[in-house]
Amino acid sequence: MPKHKRTPVVRPGRTRLAAAATAAAALTGGLVSLSAGTASAVPGASATQPHEADFNLDGYPDVAVSSPEASVGGHAKAGQITVFYGSASGISAARRATITQSSTGVPGTPEAGDQFGYATSPGDFNRDGFTDLAVGTPYEDMPGDADGGTVTVLWGSSSGLKGGTTLNDPAPSSHDRFGFDVAAGDFDGDAKTDLATADTSKSVRVFKGGISKTDSIGSATAVTTPLRSTSPYHLYKLTAGDVNADGKDDLLVSGNIASGGDYLVNYYLPGTASGPSATATRLPGGVISDIGDINGDGFGDVVTGLTADSSNSEEQPGTSAGGNIHVTYGSATGPDGGTTVVSQDTAGVPGSGEASDLFGWEVSVGDINGDGLSDIAVGAISEDGTTSGTDDSGAVTVLYGSGSGVTGTGSQTFTQNTAGVPGSSERSDLFGTDVLLSDFNADGRSDLAIGVSGENAGNGALTVLKSAGGRITTTGAVSLSPSAVGVSTSGAPQFGAVLGG
């Protein structure tokens, strides 16, 4: 159907990557300012096929679902996290826990505008076997520092995430919004999980040597990147994974170029014995990335979403109509094994690229069919439905890995009008706000969790589609609403805006 230019209807102050959206607005004809999730995987024995989050260590992967603008105790946009624990039957409302800054043992108190859960990343920081969860709250007011931000680690246990520890900002006077993004990884190869954090500067703060419940860390270092740091331009997104298969996680940083244009770029910082290197290699542009072994060669491949349209190619190189993803293949020397670009106009991919689809708004990698190769889920939040009044209802496309890399062969696209998917496509649902491939029922194949942050005027929703062995199926699909899982629908909580697992 013809696609007209239109900015999705969203509320001011949309959270995740709001500044990135501002920075890219000129590139997309008015890119929406709304949430986009963090899909960082838990560092494990193989960073190319990483382990998934298991907060209670029962053998079933779990997921932490943020409602960053949820009202808590009457405090608007204080934010909360709902943890869903996996089981033999997958994710359900019955096995869940609610965590806010008023939960027992969690530092801080809920305050208006904090946006607790704005960014999350799982990792075993204290090496006790349980997955913990790093949580960024970048709009937390600190003493004498409005929007100074904070980072909290919630601790895994046999009963799930319990209590937390605040990580002190190592340079509070030099930036704001500490915790704008977080990414767990073993960047120095010492078998201890480190944590990289972003703020309004162009430097990454890396907490190394493991983190304990008493806030004891080995060191906190700053790695300067080539990105801009002039407000609202700064470092937006961090992604960890082992691209060169040397046993050290590498770090991708996304943001605006320091000079020569305002377009979005990515840089690769290889892991070294002392942590992420400041020697940066530039990669294809975009904001959201994930890392997995798409072609089965043992190296981590970088998947990056680039939502800018081809009409803006002078400002943003590498674009396609409606957006695309770039898969840059890993090698022993880093991400230099060639690049594949996939859009909705790629042979075999359902649909077609239309202006402002925002294909590539979110990406996640996981093994859906159990063949040992990473597959890719791609969110296109502004995809219009096929009927009147369904503008920006959203869609999610699944692409499958192969020995030759990613192709359109066998790909699938889902909307809320797909048979078996709960709900229906409605204006500004934003189906695909976040996506996460994770094996919630521990059958060896990744299922697909989909955030729908715009559902019911910003209340949000979570949809889970299961793997049927070889492909994602709508049989047994699960839909969870905020009211069904204890999230206040006062305001627009955006349940499902951020998926951590």
Side-chain angles (χ1 to χ4, degrees), residues 102-393:
S102 62
S103 298
T104 301
V106 176
T109 57
E111 298 167 314
D114 280 351
Q115 297 187 31
F116 176 77
Y118 183 98
T120 62
S121 186
D124 182 7
F125 297 106
N126 59 355
R127 305 180 71 190
D128 64 356
F130 296 95
T131 304
D132 312 307
L133 186 70
V135 179
T137 310
Y139 295 97
E140 176 93 25
D141 289 342
M142 305 305 290
D145 186 9
D147 293 342
T150 188
V151 174
T152 303
V153 175
L154 304 177
W155 299 107
S157 72
S158 59
S159 55
L161 291 177
K162 299 290 182 182
T165 299
T166 296
L167 299 185
N168 293 321
D169 186 344
S173 63
S174 65
H175 58 255
D176 285 324
R177 299 178 193 170
F178 177 57
F180 191 84
D181 201 18
V182 289
D186 181 7
F187 302 113
D188 54 9
D190 65 355
K192 298 176 182 178
T193 303
D194 311 314
L195 182 67
T197 66
D199 50 55
T200 56
S201 74
K202 61 181 180 180
S203 294
V204 181
R205 320 284 164 177
V206 181
F207 293 82
K208 292 176 54 184
I211 300 168
S212 76
K213 293 184 179 182
T214 59
D215 192 20
S216 173
I217 58 174
S219 64
T221 60
V223 181
T224 302
T225 73
L227 299 172
R228 289 184 64 175
S229 60
T230 304
S231 181
Y233 307 100
H234 57 82
L235 199 161
Y236 305 135
K237 184 70 176 64
L238 305 172
T239 305
D242 192 356
V243 176
N244 58 5
D246 66 351
K248 304 178 187 67
D249 281 318
D250 310 310
L251 186 65
L252 301 179
V253 297
S254 304
N256 287 87
I257 194 168
S259 61
D262 287 340
Y263 47 82
L264 297 165
V265 297
N266 287 284
Y267 285 99
Y268 165 78
L269 310 181
T272 72
S274 56
S277 171
T279 302
T281 300
R282 186 166 166 175
L283 298 182
V287 176
I288 295 295
S289 295
D290 206 354
I291 297 173
D293 187 2
I294 309 298
N295 58 4
D297 63 359
F299 299 102
D301 306 316
V302 179
V303 182
T304 300
L306 178 59
T307 58
D309 282 312
S310 53
S311 59
N312 299 296
S313 58
E314 291 184 2
E315 293 87 0
Q316 180 69 57
T319 60
S320 301
N324 62 38
I325 66 166
H326 285 69
V327 180
T328 304
Y329 298 99
S331 72
T333 53
D336 53 13
T339 298
T340 299
V341 179
V342 179
S343 72
Q344 292 181 94
D345 292 324
T346 298
V349 176
S352 60
E354 301 164 308
S356 302
D357 280 347
L358 301 184
F359 182 85
W361 177 263
E362 251 303 341
V363 297
S364 179
V365 300
D367 187 359
I368 293 168
N369 51 16
D371 64 356
L373 308 178
S374 286
D375 308 308
I376 308 169
V378 184
I381 57 166
S382 289
E383 178 76 21
D384 290 349
T386 56
T387 58
S388 176
T390 57
D391 298 355
D392 309 315
S393 51

